[in-house]
Amino acid sequence: MQTQLRAPCVSHKTRINGVPCSPKVVPRVARVPSGSAPEAPVASPEPTAAQRNVVAQVAKMIHAQTTTNKKGALVSELPAWQALKEHVNEIEKTHLRDLLHDEARCMSLIKECEGIYGDFTRQRVTQKTLELLFELAEQSNLRGKINAMFNGEHINSTEDRAVLHIATRAHRNQKIFVDGKDVVPDVWEVLDKIKAFSDKVRNGEWLGVTGKPLKNVVAIGIGGSFLGPLFVHTALRTEPVAMRCSRDRSLRFLANVDPIDVARALDGLDPEETLVVVVSKTFTTAETMLNARTVRSWLTSRLGPDSVAKHMVAVSTNLKLVKEFGIDPENAFGFWDWVGGRYSVCSAVGMLPLSLQYGFDLMQEFLAGANNIDEHFKNQPYQDNLPVLMGLTSLWNVSFLGHGAKAILPYCQALSKLAPHIQQVDMESNGKGVDINGVRLPFETGEIDFGEPGTNGQHSFYQLIHQGRVVPCEFIGIVRSQQSVYLKGEVVSNHDELMCNFFAQADALAYGKTPEQLRSDNVPDYLIPHRVFTGNRPSMSIMLPSCTAYTVGQLLAIYEHRIAVQGFIWNINSFDQWGVELGKVLASKVRTVMNSARTRDRKILPQDGFNYSTTRMINKYLEGKTQVLYPEGHDTFPIDMLRGGH
Ligand SMILES: O=P(O)(O)OC[C@H]1O[C@](O)(CO)[C@@H](O)[C@@H]1O
């Protein structure tokens, strides 16, 4: 539903009737459905004519602020935001069916840069929309914020940190400063260490404790210490060069604290041939640490305590805890607090496990691809800047057209883990309720991301996106497949068949099918309502020349930066994640109860500190058939978990 502001709010310097108003004092904004008359804030009396006059003057004054929102005004108070809201009415009168016939418009909305084809013609935008979005970017100081990020300013203000994942893929000769220190030499010190270590493991110089080469790697980590590396690994598994580089090697991930995930990750592995990489920025994440202890026990129960030195290494910013865990700091690969977990795949978080699997040289191409887009993002003007265009058009879809979800639809099985990775990067970054100054926002930020590779998604949720809710889609196609198959006599090759769907879906969403067309197809009247496609459903398409380490790096950086663009404009902190804390704290409270119940010390009872529903549910769980008392003196594993390598 479209929303509009009831009353404009004002910057810190604003005065109403001579009284200075801070944004926290002025009743901010309430949302009403578009078309409804503006009303006074809830619980306030109707504004008087004089008050309305003041509000109108304030609105005029805000319109006069054409520079930045540095003064603390909400983005929704900027003139360009208001202009975009008004512009929605113009766009509502258009249909993509018609917009796509305007060739001049289409030409201006297709961008070919850095070898990537970006098509924005199926977004519900005109040249005017883009100009207004660029104006919003100007008024929001987007360029200044991008520069602040690249300059190592502490833009993650709630954690007082710089945001410099771009430094993790910098060329050796680049200079990137944090607090007056060039961090690129530190980055390359770790990268050199990764190269040396991964080379040694891969060429058999580094052996397991029983003298066998380590050909299997299990990477333990969760969230940002898992999803990015999984995405890249999945993307490269069937790429011909990567396949050659990883012959006879395996890389697995263990993320969930569910023991089923442990069993699956270790199933069939021989501990003598397995190297474990514990990946945790903080080295305190409950799931990762329990999994690390579990796998350590799996190793030492078979190979003895000395095996840890040869079979376990770590990636972390917390080298003290790595040492306390029992991993030699020599076998730890550091990174820095200015790399956010979800932005860490180019640091040792991804580079170590992926270099072990594919070799450092190939993974350097991945870094080069990401670096290429970093430069593009920093230097290109808005109208030729892929992450900026994607961020702005998404913002238009979310904040002005009212579409809160987006589908990420790669027509490439190798990119099947892109959507899960972007879910974290986007939703943990931009799912916020207050702006960077802590002021509650009168609009929603962030998007609900989901996706599956085409064509699988077509046989799953595409019904909804064609005839149900409007969900802006991002189609990602590949020109040259990693794998080529053509069967004699078939109309097209297998990859061409896939891509036929890629091209068709975007137009089906845009054009739809009218009752007239259905009638001329002799569809009976009673079926026409069911078979109408309204069309006018926005999407964008990206085509990459191939799916290689380099282009996967590019794709990653495009998504990372477009998310930053949206956060910069919404003026939120896209780089903290306080929203994940509360659940962790409550889980720890339950853990205490669980231990008390299972060990029968009964010092704490399930009802202590919990509400009726939770107490009852915990009791039900504790009374269930699964109840076991924790054995003393030894670790227990399901027999099957230990069967590998016999
Ligand atoms: O790398 P760590 O410190 O184990 O954290 C894992 C994940 O947990 C979070 O802090 C919260 O889910 C993520 O931001 C992070 O990627």
Side-chain angles (χ1 to χ4, degrees):
M1 190 197 291
Q2 296 304 318
T3 58
Q4 66 183 40
L5 302 181
R6 277 186 178 154
C9 293
V10 289
S11 75
H12 292 280
K13 289 194 176 161
T14 302
R15 290 170 170 263
I16 295 183
N17 288 341
V19 180
C21 298
S22 120
K24 286 173 190 156
V25 176
V26 173
R28 273 251 158 238
V29 178
R31 290 180 301 165
V32 292
S34 64
S36 315
E39 295 169 352
V42 183
S44 302
E46 274 295 302
T48 61
Q51 282 170 328
R52 275 204 210 97
N53 192 22
V54 170
V55 168
Q57 280 174 18
V58 171
K60 249 189 187 168
M61 198 180 74
I62 289 166
H63 266 266
Q65 290 178 351
T66 50
T67 48
T68 72
N69 65 344
K70 277 181 207 155
K71 289 176 185 163
L74 293 178
V75 61
S76 52
E77 295 162 355
L78 293 174
W81 185 280
Q82 298 301 330
L84 279 158
K85 283 187 86 73
E86 283 160 27
H87 177 62
V88 169
N89 295 330
E90 285 172 61
I91 289 297
E92 294 296 1
K93 291 183 197 132
T94 65
H95 194 290
L96 279 171
R97 209 179 279 145
D98 307 312
L99 292 178
L100 280 163
H101 286 159
D102 177 348
E103 277 191 20
R105 169 187 169 276
C106 291
M107 276 163 69
S108 70
L109 290 173
I110 293 172
K111 308 290 170 183
E112 292 194 59
C113 23
E114 318 300 343
I116 298 166
Y117 188 92
D119 181 344
F120 296 87
T121 59
R122 291 176 199 78
Q123 292 285 14
R124 294 185 65 201
V125 297
T126 59
Q127 201 51 46
K128 180 173 173 192
T129 323
L130 279 193
E131 277 160 22
L132 289 171
L133 286 167
F134 295 150
E135 181 56 27
L136 180 67
E138 273 309 292
Q139 291 177 18
S140 308
N141 192 25
L142 176 63
R143 183 60 69 193
K145 291 177 181 180
I146 294 172
N147 289 339
M149 179 172 95
F150 277 83
N151 291 337
E153 289 175 33
H154 286 214
I155 61 171
N156 177 357
S157 51
T158 61
E159 296 179 314
D160 193 16
R161 288 174 182 170
V163 175
L164 270 183
H165 41 282
I166 54 118
T168 60
R169 54 252 191 162
H171 293 307
R172 216 182 262 278
N173 57 6
Q174 271 179 262
K175 288 198 181 308
I176 298 172
F177 290 89
V178 181
D179 303 326
K181 180 180 189 291
D182 179 9
V183 293
V184 177
D186 295 354
V187 167
W188 274 93
E189 195 183 317
V190 176
L191 287 174
D192 288 339
K193 188 172 167 182
I194 291 172
K195 177 175 167 48
F197 180 72
S198 56
D199 281 354
K200 271 199 264 177
V201 172
R202 288 167 58 82
N203 66 26
E205 233 180 282
W206 179 288
L207 297 169
V209 71
T210 57
K212 287 193 179 174
L214 299 173
K215 59 180 189 153
N216 311 309
V217 171
V218 177
I220 304 176
I222 198 163
S225 295
F226 158 58
L227 291 162
L230 176 71
F231 156 57
V232 179
H233 174 50
T234 311
L236 296 182
R237 261 181 56 206
T238 44
E239 196 278 321
V241 179
M243 280 175 87
R244 273 199 300 281
C245 295
S246 59
R247 189 157 294 143
D248 298 326
R249 302 199 60 82
S250 80
L251 172 59
R252 300 184 185 191
F253 294 89
L254 169 55
N256 199 343
V257 76
D258 186 340
I260 294 170
D261 207 17
V262 181
R264 290 179 180 195
L266 301 182
D267 184 35
L269 288 186
D270 181 351
E272 291 183 75
E273 297 179 334
T274 302
L275 176 69
V276 177
V277 185
V278 184
V279 186
S280 176
K281 179 174 170 178
T282 54
F283 230 69
T284 58
T285 302
E287 296 92 329
T288 299
M289 297 326 296
L290 181 55
N291 277 336
R293 292 191 292 275
T294 306
V295 176
R296 182 179 60 189
S297 171
W298 173 78
L299 280 172
T300 55
S301 65
R302 298 283 304 278
L303 306 176
D306 292 347
S307 59
V308 171
K310 285 289 177 191
H311 292 258
M312 289 191 93
V313 297
V315 176
S316 186
T317 57
N318 195 336
L319 299 182
K320 183 171 166 276
L321 290 187
V322 169
K323 190 171 175 203
E324 280 171 30
F325 181 87
I327 294 175
D328 184 349
E330 278 300 302
N331 300 336
F333 298 79
F335 64 116
W336 308 270
D337 70 0
W338 39 261
V339 186
R342 53 194 176 273
Y343 295 94
S344 65
V345 57
C346 295
S347 73
V349 166
M351 282 300 283
L352 180 63
L354 293 163
S355 297
L356 285 161
Q357 178 68 2
Y358 298 109
F360 182 82
D361 293 346
L362 185 71
M363 292 320 301
Q364 245 191 295
E365 288 179 32
F366 164 68
L367 296 185
N371 177 272
N372 163 263
I373 293 297
D374 295 342
E375 292 299 305
H376 168 91
F377 178 51
K378 189 171 68 165
N379 299 320
Q380 289 306 306
Y382 295 154
Q383 63 270 19
D384 296 319
N385 193 313
L386 284 175
V388 169
L389 288 168
M390 283 176 74
L392 289 178
T393 48
S394 260
L395 188 119
W396 167 246
N397 287 333
V398 179
S399 293
F400 298 95
L401 298 185
H403 308 313
K406 111 166 149 274
I408 299 169
L409 308 169
Y411 276 66
C412 176
Q413 191 63 28
L415 299 178
S416 61
K417 295 296 177 189
L418 174 66
H421 177 48
I422 297 309
Q423 265 173 353
Q424 189 207 4
V425 186
D426 194 6
M427 293 162 82
E428 201 165 272
S429 295
N430 286 345
K432 304 287 160 68
V434 297
D435 80 354
I436 196 120
N437 303 311
V439 178
R440 186 140 291 278
L441 292 167
F443 54 86
E444 282 177 327
T445 63
E447 282 160 281
I448 300 160
D449 295 310
F450 68 100
E452 277 292 322
T455 56
N456 295 9
Q458 291 174 203
H459 297 272
S460 167
F461 53 81
Y462 276 38
Q463 165 65 42
L464 180 141
I465 62 179
H466 279 293
Q467 286 189 313
R469 292 172 190 272
V470 177
V471 179
C473 294
E474 296 185 351
F475 294 101
I476 301 162
I478 305 288
V479 175
R480 198 160 65 106
S481 176
Q482 290 180 345
Q483 300 291 328
S484 110
V485 178
Y486 173 67
L487 299 183
K488 199 168 63 160
E490 290 289 340
V491 182
V492 290
S493 73
N494 298 29
H495 181 66
D496 286 346
E497 172 67 20
L498 172 75
M499 290 300 285
C500 290
N501 287 275
F502 167 85
F503 295 115
Q505 288 294 334
D507 271 346
L509 285 169
Y511 282 83
K513 192 149 190 180
T514 63
E516 295 71 40
Q517 288 169 316
L518 290 164
R519 259 179 227 114
S520 70
D521 288 351
N522 294 325
V523 171
D525 277 355
Y526 79 97
L527 274 183
I528 285 179
H530 299 279
R531 296 191 54 177
V532 163
F533 290 73
T534 53
N536 209 20
R537 289 162 186 259
S539 71
M540 66 106 26
S541 305
I542 296 177
M543 258 190 324
L544 301 173
S546 54
C547 183
T548 60
Y550 186 85
T551 59
V552 169
Q554 288 182 306
L555 189 62
L556 172 90
I558 287 175
Y559 270 88
E560 286 178 345
H561 294 323
R562 65 85 67 86
I563 290 163
V565 166
Q566 289 173 241
F568 286 151
I569 297 208
W570 281 320
N571 202 29
I572 57 180
N573 184 352
S574 298
F575 306 105
D576 63 11
Q577 57 285 317
W578 298 106
V580 300
E581 294 304 320
L582 184 58
K584 288 188 199 171
V585 173
L586 293 185
S588 139
K589 200 171 138 193
V590 181
R591 192 179 298 126
T592 312
V593 166
M594 196 75 76
N595 176 273
S596 181
R598 292 295 199 209
T599 55
R600 293 226 172 111
D601 86 346
R602 301 272 177 213
K603 283 196 189 116
I604 301 169
L605 297 171
Q607 61 266 33
D608 293 345
F610 293 101
N611 58 45
Y612 171 81
S613 307
T614 310
T615 304
R616 185 161 166 180
M617 197 152 52
I618 292 175
N619 276 325
K620 182 78 187 163
Y621 172 74
L622 289 170
E623 287 159 17
K625 283 187 191 149
T626 54
Q627 181 171 8
V628 283
L629 283 187
Y630 301 151
E632 276 175 19
H634 63 93
D635 299 342
T636 49
F637 290 102
I639 304 248
D640 279 358
M641 199 187 282
L642 297 174
R643 82 185 158 175
H646 289 291

